Amino acid sequence: MSAEGLLLLLSGFLLSPLLQGVINRTKAVFAGRKGSPLLQQYRDMAKLLRKGAVFSTTTTGIFRIAPSAVLVLVAAAYTLLAPSTVESGWGFPGDLILFVYCLGLARFLTVTAALDTGSSFEGMGASREVLYSALAEPALIIGLAVLARVSGEMSFSGVFHGLGDSEWLSAGTALAIVVVSFLIVMLAENSRIPFDDPNTHLELTMVHEVMVLDCSGPDFALITYGASLKLWLFASLMVNLAISPLGLSGYAQVAGFLGGMLFAGILVGTIESVTARLSLLKTPGLLTGAGALAVLAFILAARYLQ
Amino acid sequence: MTAYIDIILVGLILSNFILLGSSRLGNCIRIAAWQGIMVGLLPMATAEAGFSFRIAALGSAVIVLKGFVFPKLLSRALRESDTSREVQPFIGYTASLIAGVLALSASFWLDGRLNLPIHSASAIVVPVSLSLMFTGLFLVVARRMAITQVIGYLVLENGIYALGLAIVRDLPFLVELGVLMDVFVAVFVMGIAIYRINREFDHIDSHRLAKLKG
Amino acid sequence: MVISLLIASLSLFLAGSFLLLFLPGKYRAVRVIGPATTLSGSVSGIIASVFSFISGPVESTGFALSTPSGSFALGIDFLSALFAIPVLVISSLCAIYGIGYLKPFEESGKDTARFWSFFNLLSGSMLLVTVSRNALLFLLGWEVMAVSSFFLVMFEAGKESVRKAGWTYLVATHLGTACLLVLFSMLSSGGSMNFSDLALPDGTAFGAGVAFVLAMTGFGAKAGFVPLHVWLPEAHPSAPSNVSAVMSGVMIKTGIYGILRFLLFLGFPPAWWGWVILLTGILSGIAGVLFALAQHDIKRLLAYSSVENIGIIAIGLGLGFLGVSYRIPAMAYLGFVGAILHTLNHSVFKSLLFMGAGSVVRETGCKQLDRLGGLMKRMPSTGISFLTGSAAISGFPPLNGFISELIIYLAAFSGLTAGTGASSSAALAGLLAAGSLALTGGLALACFTRAFGIVFLGEPRSSCAENARETAGSMRFSMWFLSAACIVLGLAGPVLLEFLWPAAGFLCHGFGYYPEGVSSPLFKNTLEMVTLVSASLILGTAVLFRAKTILLSRRRVTAAPTWDCGYSSPVPSMQYTASSFAEPVIRLFGKSLGTRQSFREPGGLFPGKSSFSSETPDMYREKLYRPVFERMERLFSSLRMIQHGRVNLYILYIVAALFSLLVWKLG
């Protein structure tokens, strides 16, 4: 693996809490507040690692293993994606599917751990989470299918190396629509507004925050880190696709990627500040809209490639 | 120039989706206005014979009418009719969205079978116009409020206009003006009719008006 | 040698069955003889199948039976062996499971000798179906399979619901068999019914199309395609759990075997066949998992989930057929391999899930999800096995469900990225397959987190769950075996691909498609990498968990009741129930499900008792079959006036028939 690939990989592991800081700072700017420091997430995790833990008497071994397993799965998914833009031989055909299913298993374990506590709040978050993911996963896979069709490859490195100038020239609108669809999926999977409010702990808005109510200490640190890594992961999928027409390589790609991630953080913060959370009855409609956009992109790509 | 046409056409498709999924009448009228402006820009983007004064005049006329006059009439009817601002559909929003996707696929498939001789630089003009027509018809059939049915009719007219632009070589001046006059009268009459219906019956719910049949 | 092993196996099953039929009242012996017969028959059959893999396909010349054109012709090739092995393995494991499971029934005086007799008959007939090489022999095995499973379903015939379910099952299976009769008569119009002689009479496209529809209907009724599935959610929950495991795990797969075997006689498939199979698979997958989400009975939920997985298998088959029709080698081979592998995997994890459900029902005495809970602490082995089964059926790495779904995805993506010829249709097929697989996968995740979470996690919701204990040893043995199989198969991806590749080649050559460049398995590298990633996932989790435990050992760790955002006195009935968990999804898909809710609100000044219940009857049964059958019943009851009971008029009928026969013959 080359130095640039290693750099891209490490940037995710080291800088993902910083992305949360950027988003929070953007929201604070919109609200006229000073906001928490950019490195606050790191301090929170360090504090949590120093604490002890309280385990509920209702929980079983699943609750104790789940946070570690979830972090390992998200890290594995990120490792499949991250260096693929600079390494042409990274991954294997079909790693798109393994990517999606690693995230799916992470979700399975989070939901099971939530049900393990025997609490009604966590059951509620779990039931909403499975609905959103049941709708977001097809949108994600259809988007990846569009990328596979346009580039003719089935692996992340193949896709990103195959999306050059000629593809963007002929099927550019389709790919741009896929970027928007990925943005909506990212907001849904990471529980951002308009799907869920990551700040409140009210019953009405909780999807992801509520599933981890009973986690404490180092487990909670693992979960927070896993959540920020997952946000970085989805954002990097979107950013990699969005900067592929620039045709960068090597260190320029790394610099472009980091700039793109900064922009993505500001974008998410802006969306969170100007949009209101959608009512629970309307969010499936928005997710279906993301799926419809992906299908639209497929139809356009099929037409343009003929 | 191809890129501009395609962006406008994709914008038309996206506006279809938003119309199918939005529940507030004010939003629907606004989206219909944007659609009108985009459709008005189409002749200026598709013109092969160059940018002539006639095309510019027609385009601006369409933009003014469909983008400003009609929405204003509709908003006035909405304001004075004192009804709920929700769309009240027969078919739910998510199901409408899926129906819109199916209509789009059907339009693309139809275009593959029809193979019309088009005079436009873009490959997707015919499917997009067909999908505009289908969406307009769907809105007329599946929505309860009379104003949404008017909007559906406007969308249908947009589709016919776009299809005409693609197929006919030169802008047939008289036919085009005829169509516009037709639409204008329809909206005018519907606007007056809605106002009067509402004054008589206190609502503009076409479903409840069905009780009038003898 | 192989054939004699097969004949030995079949005779063992038959002999054991007859012996047990006439053995009343000797419980001790029955408990040993029954499973022992199954095991010995299975071992002999498995050895035969393994030999056929090593030495190549074997056919016997067969000797004629007394029926016209029937002959006792057996044979094993790739296809038969791949379907025979799961039949025998799962039957043996369910027999071992049955030793423990039937004990409470024995103690309450039920007739277990008859149970074991029919169980052996069922296993033997399923083996016969997979290895017979004569259509009449096939039908014989098919019918015996249906009848013996009917008697097994009616084991608890004292209950009204069981009787109704058995009746539905009998009618449905015979409607399917009727289609098969027509199909066989079409194919054997040349006179002989041996498989080597079966072919279409004139080879027209119309004839092939009719044969295809008959095969899909007849075998699809057994497999459980929507809308022919309505017997599945009735029969499987009513049967004893090890019988449900056999039925769901392997009996419905004989339908898939039938489709593959009999479509091979019809020549090169046109594209519309693949599309029909693909769309049927998509419909079955999505409808199956939606109905599963709406169920309150754990075994009905598992039955609908079988419908969903048959849909996934059909998606794989559809992609395979489309790959052959559109001549895309990767799509064809991967589609077939994925479908057959998912058949194998499904028999493993569905039997595991049914066994787990069976032990839960046996220990707690209730089947309703909403009355269970907290069983993980009371029945740990059942819990861990059920968790493995749930994760496997949702298709996650490192378990076996992921491998087969990945291969089907690879087939779909191969269709997407194929650059030649009819690429846009293949791309559309790939898109539909991938999208619907993702949707069913997401909904299956919802379904099985619900099933596992509500039953095993949290606090017990009623007294029957509180008093549960761990189950018998034989039952635990079977469940552990299958859980281990899930993990081993999940890590053995490349080996499985290598193993099943010739089977796909056999199918493609049978259809008349001889592609280039597929002598060694494609995408083997992918599966090797998947194994590597799966192993590192397990290792990584273990390392991180150990690190966290070491970190926590130096800190203060306490136990307390669930915090739950500060609730001071939580009660088990406040937990989320199964209905509430599934409610968002059911509300979204309400129109396709037809769920009926009845809610009596607490009224008055001081709120009194209120109740809520919801039920989801099978929509296809209510809207499609029930009106048709009721109309037919009305029509036929009008014919009842012929049966008036007057003897002189009956004699008049006989005289009139004789007279008209005479006139016809002599005139």
Side-chain angles (χ1 to χ4, degrees), chain B residues 7 14 24 31 57 61 66-67 71 77 89 106 120 124 126 128 136 160:
Chain B
I7 293 179
L14 291 175
R24 297 203 297 222
I31 303 287
K66 293 203 187 188
S120 167
I124 59 171
V126 176
V128 172
I160 298 176

Side-chain angles (χ1 to χ4, degrees), chain A residues 55-57 93 117 119 214 219, chain C residues 377 526 548 558 560 562-564:
Chain A
F55 288 111
S56 156
T57 45
T117 58
S119 113
D214 268 88
D219 274 333
Chain C
K377 294 205 165 123
T526 304
K548 186 199 75 164
T558 48
T562 305
W563 176 61
D564 197 14

Side-chain angles (χ1 to χ4, degrees), chain C residues 1 19 55 74 131 134 174 182 309 380 394 410 443 452 461 516 530 539 566 571 593 601 629 651 654:
Chain C
M1 155 68 156
L19 180 63
S55 60
L74 300 178
V131 300
N134 176 287
H174 280 102
V182 178
N309 280 284
S394 314
L410 286 173
L443 290 171
F452 176 69
R461 290 177 179 77
E516 311 279 311
V530 165
L539 200 62
V571 161
L593 279 177
E601 301 188 23
F629 281 134
I651 298 187
I654 299 176

Side-chain angles (χ1 to χ4, degrees), chain C residues 139 142-150 166-182 217-218 221-222 231:
Chain C
L139 261 181
W142 193 260
E143 221 10 66
V144 173
M145 190 171 77
V147 170
S148 51
S149 52
F150 168 73
W167 178 239
T168 314
Y169 174 50
L170 200 61
V171 170
T173 189
H174 280 102
L175 282 177
T177 314
C179 293
L180 290 183
L181 278 171
V182 178
T217 319
K222 177 64 72 177
W231 61 273

Side-chain angles (χ1 to χ4, degrees), chain A residues 49-58 64 93 101 104-105 116-121 124 127 154 214 219, chain C residues 377 395-397 405 409 413 416 457 459 523 526 529 548 555-560 562-564 574-576 581:
Chain A
L49 281 172
R50 284 196 293 268
K51 291 191 166 202
V54 177
F55 288 111
S56 156
T57 45
T58 318
R64 287 155 178 77
Y101 273 78
L105 181 58
D116 200 7
T117 58
S119 113
S120 47
F121 257 159
M124 179 174 69
S127 85
M154 289 201 264
D214 268 88
D219 274 333
Chain C
K377 294 205 165 123
F396 293 125
E405 285 199 23
Y409 269 114
F413 272 73
L416 273 171
L457 302 176
E459 294 289 335
F523 297 107
T526 304
M529 293 298 292
K548 186 199 75 164
R555 312 246 194 271
R556 200 172 69 133
V557 177
T558 48
T562 305
W563 176 61
D564 197 14
M574 279 162 63
Q575 293 175 101
Y576 238 50
F581 191 86

